[in-house]
C-alpha cells in the first residue's frame, strides 16, 4: 500500500443510488504522485470544451453548450490504457464469499481499492473518493436532463448507471440533445472507453462461464459529472461477457467526493415531502418506498456529499483544441457529424 492513502468504510447516509453493498472512502493526500494529473483525467478549455485523457492519449473530446442542452462527442484514435492488472483465475477463486453478499462486496471493494492505489498509471488524484457497489436502473427511469450548474451548484450525487448494452455500439462521434435524446443518452449512461473484444476472444469466453455461474468479478465504473456519464475504467470484457449471457454484471462505482454544508431550507424540504406523498399515492411498491427514502435522506441531510470531477487547464487552450479537433476530423471515421457540428465543436 502506498504510504499516505487511507481507506475507511463509507459512512455516507445516502448517495441517492441503489447500492447493493457497503463501500469505502479513499483519502488521497496532496503530496508525491497524487499531486500530479492522474493517467486518466479531464482537461478543459473555455466554453465547456472538455478532453478526456488516458495514458497520455486523448480518448474523448466533447463540447457542451452553455445551457447544458446540447453536446457533441468525438473519440480519439488511441486505445484506452489498462489501468488495473488483469485478474487471474486464482485471484477470482480466492474470493470465496457468496457472490452478491456483503462479504463478497467487501472483499472486492478492498481488492479494487488496493489496485487503484498501487496502479502504475493512477486514476486517482488528491482528495476523497468513494468506491461503492452500484446497481443499474432502466434507462426510462433515468433523469431526462443533467444537473446544470446554472441552476444548481456543483457537487450533486452521481446519477444511477443505465444502458449498459450501449457499450456494444462503439461510435466514433455522436450528438446528444438533452431535450430530445434517446433513453440511452440520459444522465447516468455508461460509456465504454474501447471497442469490445470479439465474442470468440478467449478471455470473453472465460468470463462468460463466470457470468453463467454468478461469480463474475465487478466491472469498475468512474462517474464523470461534467459529462453526466459513467465510463468503464476496468472490465470491458467482463461486461461484454455478462451482456452476451443476458445477465446483469456486478458494478462498482468510483467517484470523487465533496462535502457540501447547507442551511435548512423550508421550501426544499416541503417540496421533498410533497414529492414523497405524490409518489406514494401512486402505489407504495418496495421500489417506490426505497426511492422516496433516498430522496428524503438527500433533502433533509444538513451536510450532503456529492461529486465534482476535477479538470486541469488544457495546454494551449482554445487554439490547441482547434488544432486537435481539426486533426481528428481529417483522420475520418466520423460520418455522424456535418460541417455545422464540426464548426460548433471547434
Amino acid at each position: 500500500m502506498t504510504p499516505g492513502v487511507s481507506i475507511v468504510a463509507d459512512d455516507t447516509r445516502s448517495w441517492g443510488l441503489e447500492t447493493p453493498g457497503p463501500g469505502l472512502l479513499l483519502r488521497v493526500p496532496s503530496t508525491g504522485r497524487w499531486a500530479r494529473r492522474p493517467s486518466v483525467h479531464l482537461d478543459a478549455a473555455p466554453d465547456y470544451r472538455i478532453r478526456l485523457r488516458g495514458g497520455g492519449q486523448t480518448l474523448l473530446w466533447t463540447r457542451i453548450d452553455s445551457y447544458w442542452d446540447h453536446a457533441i462527442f468525438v473519440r480519439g484514435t488511441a486505445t484506452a490504457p489498462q489501468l488495473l492488472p488483469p485478474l487471474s483465475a486464482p485471484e477470482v477463486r480466492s474470493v470465496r464469499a457468496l457472490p452478491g453478499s456483503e462479504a463478497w462486496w467487501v472483499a472486492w471493494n478492498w481488492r479494487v481499492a488496493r489496485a487503484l492505489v498501487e496502479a502504475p498509471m493512477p486514476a486517482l488524484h488528491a482528495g476523497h473518493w468513494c468506491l461503492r457497489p452500484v446497481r443499474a436502473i432502466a434507462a426510462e427511469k433515468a433523469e431526462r436532463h443533467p444537473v446544470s450548474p446554472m441552476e444548481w451548484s456543483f457537487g450533486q450525487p452521481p446519477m444511477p448507471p443505465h444502458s449498459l448494452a450501449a457499450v456494444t455500439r462503439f461510435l466514433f462521434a455522436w450528438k446528444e440533445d438533452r431535450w430530445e435524446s434517446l433513453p440511452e443518452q440520459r444522465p447516468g449512461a455508461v460509456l465504454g472507453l474501447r471497442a469490445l473484444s470479439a465474442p470468440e476472444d478467449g478471455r470473453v469466453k472465460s468470463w462468460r462461464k463466470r457470468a453463467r455461474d454468478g461469480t463474475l468479478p465487478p466491472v469498475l465504473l468512474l462517474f464523470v459529472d461534467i459529462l453526466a456519464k459513467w465510463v468503464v475504467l476496468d472490465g470491458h470484457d467482463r461486461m461484454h461477457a455478462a451482456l452476451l449471457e443476458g445477465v446483469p454484471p456486478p458494478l462498482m462505482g468510483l467517484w470523487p467526493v465533496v462535502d457540501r454544508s447547507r442551511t435548512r431550507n423550508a421550501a426544499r424540504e416541503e417540496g421533498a415531502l410533497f414529492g414523497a406523498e405524490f409518489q406514494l399515492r401512486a402505489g407504495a411498491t418496495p421500489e417506490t418506498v426505497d426511492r422516496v427514502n433516498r430522496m428524503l435522506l438527500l433533502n433533509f441531510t444538513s451536510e450532503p456529499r456529492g461529486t465534482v470531477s476535477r479538470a486541469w487547464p488544457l495546454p494551449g487552450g482554445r487554439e490547441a483544441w482547434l488544432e486537435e479537433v481539426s486533426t481528428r476530423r481529417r483522420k475520418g471515421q466520423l460520418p455522424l457529424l456535418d460541417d455545422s457540428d464540426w464548426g460548433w465543436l471547434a
Side-chain angles (χ1 to χ4, degrees), residues 185-224:
Q185 295 176 344
R186 292 178 180 177
V190 175
L191 178 67
L193 293 182
R194 68 166 176 82
L196 299 180
S197 302
E200 297 77 22
D201 182 87
R203 195 159 181 83
V204 175
K205 289 183 177 180
S206 176
W207 289 132
R208 290 186 70 170
K209 296 179 182 178
R210 290 283 178 183
R212 286 195 295 271
D213 63 24
T215 60
L216 189 70
V219 176
L220 179 62
L221 306 178
L222 171 68
F223 187 71
V224 184

Side-chain angles (χ1 to χ4, degrees), residues 208 211-212 239-249:
R208 290 186 70 170
R212 286 195 295 271
M239 181 175 285
H240 194 194
L243 294 173
L244 290 170
E245 291 298 322
V247 299

Side-chain angles (χ1 to χ4, degrees), residues 204-287:
V204 175
K205 289 183 177 180
S206 176
W207 289 132
R208 290 186 70 170
K209 296 179 182 178
R210 290 283 178 183
R212 286 195 295 271
D213 63 24
T215 60
L216 189 70
V219 176
L220 179 62
L221 306 178
L222 171 68
F223 187 71
V224 184
D225 73 314
I226 193 71
L227 305 182
K229 294 184 185 297
W230 297 85
V231 298
V232 181
L233 276 190
D234 183 69
H236 286 81
D237 288 341
R238 297 196 293 278
M239 181 175 285
H240 194 194
L243 294 173
L244 290 170
E245 291 298 322
V247 299
L251 304 174
M252 187 173 292
L254 174 71
W255 58 88
V257 175
V258 294
D259 293 292
R260 300 178 294 122
S261 60
R262 65 184 180 189
T263 57
R264 289 198 60 184
N265 184 305
R268 182 188 69 243
E269 294 174 358
E270 288 175 9
L273 291 172
F274 177 82
E277 182 181 3
F278 179 81
Q279 294 186 59
L280 292 174
R281 280 181 177 176
T285 64
E287 293 79 10

Side-chain angles (χ1 to χ4, degrees), residues 16-31:
L17 298 169
E18 295 186 27
T19 55
L24 297 173
L25 289 179
L26 286 68
R27 297 168 178 167
V28 182
S30 57
T31 58

